[in-house]
mmCIF file of all heavy atoms in Angstrom:
data_model
loop_
_atom_site.group_PDB
_atom_site.id
_atom_site.type_symbol
_atom_site.label_atom_id
_atom_site.label_comp_id
_atom_site.label_asym_id
_atom_site.label_seq_id
_atom_site.Cartn_x
_atom_site.Cartn_y
_atom_site.Cartn_z
ATOM 1 N N VAL A 101 -15.615 -16.375 -27.405
ATOM 2 C CA VAL A 101 -16.793 -17.084 -26.847
ATOM 3 C C VAL A 101 -17.350 -17.913 -28.009
ATOM 4 O O VAL A 101 -17.791 -17.424 -29.025
ATOM 5 C CB VAL A 101 -17.874 -16.126 -26.324
ATOM 6 C CG1 VAL A 101 -19.076 -16.833 -25.936
ATOM 7 C CG2 VAL A 101 -17.327 -15.282 -25.267
ATOM 8 N N HIS A 102 -17.279 -19.242 -27.870
ATOM 9 C CA HIS A 102 -17.821 -20.162 -28.797
ATOM 10 C C HIS A 102 -19.252 -20.556 -28.390
ATOM 11 O O HIS A 102 -19.365 -21.439 -27.527
ATOM 12 C CB HIS A 102 -16.962 -21.427 -28.945
ATOM 13 C CG HIS A 102 -15.506 -21.134 -29.355
ATOM 14 N ND1 HIS A 102 -15.253 -20.756 -30.696
ATOM 15 C CD2 HIS A 102 -14.417 -21.107 -28.666
ATOM 16 C CE1 HIS A 102 -13.925 -20.474 -30.714
ATOM 17 N NE2 HIS A 102 -13.414 -20.704 -29.500
ATOM 18 N N ILE A 103 -20.248 -19.937 -28.986
ATOM 19 C CA ILE A 103 -21.581 -20.141 -28.625
ATOM 20 C C ILE A 103 -22.100 -21.570 -28.700
ATOM 21 O O ILE A 103 -22.784 -22.089 -27.893
ATOM 22 C CB ILE A 103 -22.550 -19.102 -29.284
ATOM 23 C CG1 ILE A 103 -23.742 -18.838 -28.468
ATOM 24 C CG2 ILE A 103 -22.958 -19.646 -30.662
ATOM 25 C CD1 ILE A 103 -23.504 -17.992 -27.318
ATOM 26 N N HIS A 104 -21.589 -22.242 -29.764
ATOM 27 C CA HIS A 104 -21.957 -23.643 -29.908
ATOM 28 C C HIS A 104 -21.457 -24.510 -28.794
ATOM 29 O O HIS A 104 -22.144 -25.441 -28.298
ATOM 30 C CB HIS A 104 -21.380 -24.241 -31.233
ATOM 31 C CG HIS A 104 -22.065 -23.626 -32.429
ATOM 32 N ND1 HIS A 104 -21.606 -22.534 -33.109
ATOM 33 C CD2 HIS A 104 -23.197 -23.964 -33.063
ATOM 34 C CE1 HIS A 104 -22.404 -22.258 -34.099
ATOM 35 N NE2 HIS A 104 -23.376 -23.118 -34.142
ATOM 36 N N HIS A 105 -20.285 -24.206 -28.297
ATOM 37 C CA HIS A 105 -19.749 -24.929 -27.117
ATOM 38 C C HIS A 105 -20.620 -24.774 -25.899
ATOM 39 O O HIS A 105 -20.887 -25.743 -25.184
ATOM 40 C CB HIS A 105 -18.314 -24.399 -26.860
ATOM 41 C CG HIS A 105 -17.674 -24.905 -25.606
ATOM 42 N ND1 HIS A 105 -17.062 -26.127 -25.583
ATOM 43 C CD2 HIS A 105 -17.607 -24.394 -24.381
ATOM 44 C CE1 HIS A 105 -16.603 -26.327 -24.314
ATOM 45 N NE2 HIS A 105 -16.916 -25.268 -23.585
ATOM 46 N N HIS A 106 -21.054 -23.571 -25.681
ATOM 47 C CA HIS A 106 -21.902 -23.340 -24.482
ATOM 48 C C HIS A 106 -23.314 -23.935 -24.655
ATOM 49 O O HIS A 106 -23.916 -24.366 -23.722
ATOM 50 C CB HIS A 106 -22.041 -21.793 -24.238
ATOM 51 C CG HIS A 106 -20.641 -21.320 -23.805
ATOM 52 N ND1 HIS A 106 -20.104 -21.461 -22.627
ATOM 53 C CD2 HIS A 106 -19.775 -20.550 -24.486
ATOM 54 C CE1 HIS A 106 -18.946 -20.949 -22.473
ATOM 55 N NE2 HIS A 106 -18.671 -20.325 -23.662
ATOM 56 N N ILE A 107 -23.787 -24.024 -25.879
ATOM 57 C CA ILE A 107 -25.097 -24.659 -26.082
ATOM 58 C C ILE A 107 -25.018 -26.137 -25.873
ATOM 59 O O ILE A 107 -25.831 -26.743 -25.205
ATOM 60 C CB ILE A 107 -25.630 -24.341 -27.540
ATOM 61 C CG1 ILE A 107 -26.022 -22.870 -27.665
ATOM 62 C CG2 ILE A 107 -26.860 -25.241 -27.875
ATOM 63 C CD1 ILE A 107 -26.330 -22.413 -29.045
ATOM 64 N N ILE A 108 -23.941 -26.740 -26.388
ATOM 65 C CA ILE A 108 -23.696 -28.154 -26.136
ATOM 66 C C ILE A 108 -23.524 -28.388 -24.606
ATOM 67 O O ILE A 108 -23.999 -29.425 -24.062
ATOM 68 C CB ILE A 108 -22.460 -28.664 -26.903
ATOM 69 C CG1 ILE A 108 -22.806 -28.672 -28.407
ATOM 70 C CG2 ILE A 108 -22.016 -30.115 -26.519
ATOM 71 C CD1 ILE A 108 -21.638 -28.869 -29.349
ATOM 72 N N ARG A 109 -22.816 -27.536 -23.967
ATOM 73 C CA ARG A 109 -22.611 -27.711 -22.484
ATOM 74 C C ARG A 109 -23.908 -27.606 -21.807
ATOM 75 O O ARG A 109 -24.193 -28.408 -20.862
ATOM 76 C CB ARG A 109 -21.632 -26.572 -21.984
ATOM 77 C CG ARG A 109 -21.409 -26.746 -20.507
ATOM 78 C CD ARG A 109 -20.528 -25.568 -20.016
ATOM 79 N NE ARG A 109 -19.179 -25.705 -20.607
ATOM 80 C CZ ARG A 109 -18.201 -26.443 -20.134
ATOM 81 N NH1 ARG A 109 -18.447 -27.269 -19.096
ATOM 82 N NH2 ARG A 109 -17.034 -26.487 -20.763
ATOM 83 N N LEU A 110 -24.805 -26.726 -22.220
ATOM 84 C CA LEU A 110 -26.142 -26.553 -21.587
ATOM 85 C C LEU A 110 -26.962 -27.801 -21.779
ATOM 86 O O LEU A 110 -27.619 -28.333 -20.839
ATOM 87 C CB LEU A 110 -26.825 -25.317 -22.151
ATOM 88 C CG LEU A 110 -28.228 -25.134 -21.652
ATOM 89 C CD1 LEU A 110 -28.305 -24.721 -20.200
ATOM 90 C CD2 LEU A 110 -28.921 -24.023 -22.513
ATOM 91 N N VAL A 111 -26.893 -28.395 -22.940
ATOM 92 C CA VAL A 111 -27.660 -29.584 -23.249
ATOM 93 C C VAL A 111 -27.103 -30.747 -22.343
ATOM 94 O O VAL A 111 -27.936 -31.500 -21.773
ATOM 95 C CB VAL A 111 -27.564 -29.935 -24.768
ATOM 96 C CG1 VAL A 111 -28.151 -31.365 -24.972
ATOM 97 C CG2 VAL A 111 -28.358 -28.965 -25.580
ATOM 98 N N ILE A 112 -25.845 -30.935 -22.306
ATOM 99 C CA ILE A 112 -25.258 -32.050 -21.512
ATOM 100 C C ILE A 112 -25.536 -31.867 -20.071
ATOM 101 O O ILE A 112 -25.959 -32.780 -19.376
ATOM 102 C CB ILE A 112 -23.719 -32.118 -21.741
ATOM 103 C CG1 ILE A 112 -23.417 -32.575 -23.180
ATOM 104 C CG2 ILE A 112 -23.044 -33.001 -20.738
ATOM 105 C CD1 ILE A 112 -21.983 -32.523 -23.573
#
Side-chain angles (χ1 to χ4, degrees):
V101 177
H102 300 287
I103 206 72
H104 290 92
H105 172 82
H106 294 287
I107 291 171
I108 291 170
R109 179 183 297 279
L110 177 67
V111 170
I112 291 171

